[in-house]
């Protein structure tokens, strides 16, 4: 019976030794996996730093571009204001010409003799001016 006890102890010792060997192998595989994960995370960290730097540069350039567009837009507002003023001036000039034309028409209808005489004088002045300019 003592022999059986020794055999049982031997079987337990062998089983424990096998268990320890498999546990060591598992821990080594786990360590290797963890090392690979660490290397991957280090690489990812380096890539993220590069992306962050590029993003910062891109944001800086975008802000400069937005400022430039805003400055140019402000300058264009002045041009459009000037064009608006020019349009108003042309409209006022057209109104003045219409009023002058209406006034001349009314005067010509009221005094046809003077209008005919004014046209003759204007025609004569135009001929003299043309001859002088040649």
């Amino acid at each position: 019976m003592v022999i059986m006890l020794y055999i049982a102890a031997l079987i337990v010792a062998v089983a424990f030794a096998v268990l320890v060997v498999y546990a060591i192998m598992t821990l080594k595989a786990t360590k290797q996996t963890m090392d690979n994960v660490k290397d991957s995370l280090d690489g990812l960290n380096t890539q993220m730093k590069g992306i962050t730097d590029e993003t910062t540069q891109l944001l800086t350039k975008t802000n400069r571009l937005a400022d430039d567009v805003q400055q140019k837009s402000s300058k264009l507002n002045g041009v459009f204001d000037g064009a608006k003023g020019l349009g108003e001036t042309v409209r006022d000039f057209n109104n003045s010409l219409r009023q002058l034309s209406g006034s001349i028409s009314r005067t010509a209808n009221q005094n046809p003799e003077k209008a005919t005489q004014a046209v003759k004088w204007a025609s004569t002045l135009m001929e003299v001016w043309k001859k002088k300019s040649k």
Side-chain angles (χ1 to χ4, degrees), residues 65 72 133:
L65 181 62
K72 289 179 180 173
S133 63

Side-chain angles (χ1 to χ4, degrees), residues 66-79:
D67 290 342
D68 187 43
V69 167
Q70 186 173 359
Q71 288 174 354
K72 289 179 180 173
S73 175
S74 296
K75 290 178 183 178
L76 281 177
N77 286 341
V79 170

Side-chain angles (χ1 to χ4, degrees), residues 50-93:
I51 290 171
T52 302
D53 292 343
E54 289 179 17
T55 303
T56 303
Q57 290 173 359
L58 182 62
L59 185 59
T60 302
K61 288 178 183 178
T62 302
N63 287 339
R64 275 188 274 162
L65 181 62
D67 290 342
D68 187 43
V69 167
Q70 186 173 359
Q71 288 174 354
K72 289 179 180 173
S73 175
S74 296
K75 290 178 183 178
L76 281 177
N77 286 341
V79 170
F80 287 125
D81 290 342
K84 180 182 174 190
L86 181 63
E88 290 173 357
T89 301
V90 168
R91 187 186 68 226
D92 292 344
F93 182 67

Side-chain angles (χ1 to χ4, degrees), residues 27-134:
L27 288 174
K28 281 186 177 182
T30 303
K31 183 184 180 298
Q32 185 177 5
T33 301
M34 289 301 199
D35 287 342
N36 289 340
V37 168
K38 180 187 172 285
D39 291 342
S40 295
L41 288 176
D42 287 344
L44 184 63
N45 191 21
T46 303
Q47 290 176 355
M48 288 302 292
K49 185 178 184 308
I51 290 171
T52 302
D53 292 343
E54 289 179 17
T55 303
T56 303
Q57 290 173 359
L58 182 62
L59 185 59
T60 302
K61 288 178 183 178
T62 302
N63 287 339
R64 275 188 274 162
L65 181 62
D67 290 342
D68 187 43
V69 167
Q70 186 173 359
Q71 288 174 354
K72 289 179 180 173
S73 175
S74 296
K75 290 178 183 178
L76 281 177
N77 286 341
V79 170
F80 287 125
D81 290 342
K84 180 182 174 190
L86 181 63
E88 290 173 357
T89 301
V90 168
R91 187 186 68 226
D92 292 344
F93 182 67
N94 283 340
N95 287 337
S96 296
L97 284 178
R98 277 193 205 108
Q99 289 173 355
L100 180 62
S101 174
S103 175
I104 290 172
S105 237
R106 281 190 301 275
T107 304
N109 287 337
Q110 291 172 357
N111 299 317
E113 294 170 3
K114 287 183 181 179
T116 305
Q117 193 176 25
V119 169
K120 286 180 184 177
W121 276 104
S123 186
T124 305
L125 285 174
M126 290 296 289
E127 286 178 20
V128 169
W129 183 70
K130 283 182 183 178
K131 286 180 182 179
K132 242 186 172 191
S133 63
K134 287 182 180 181

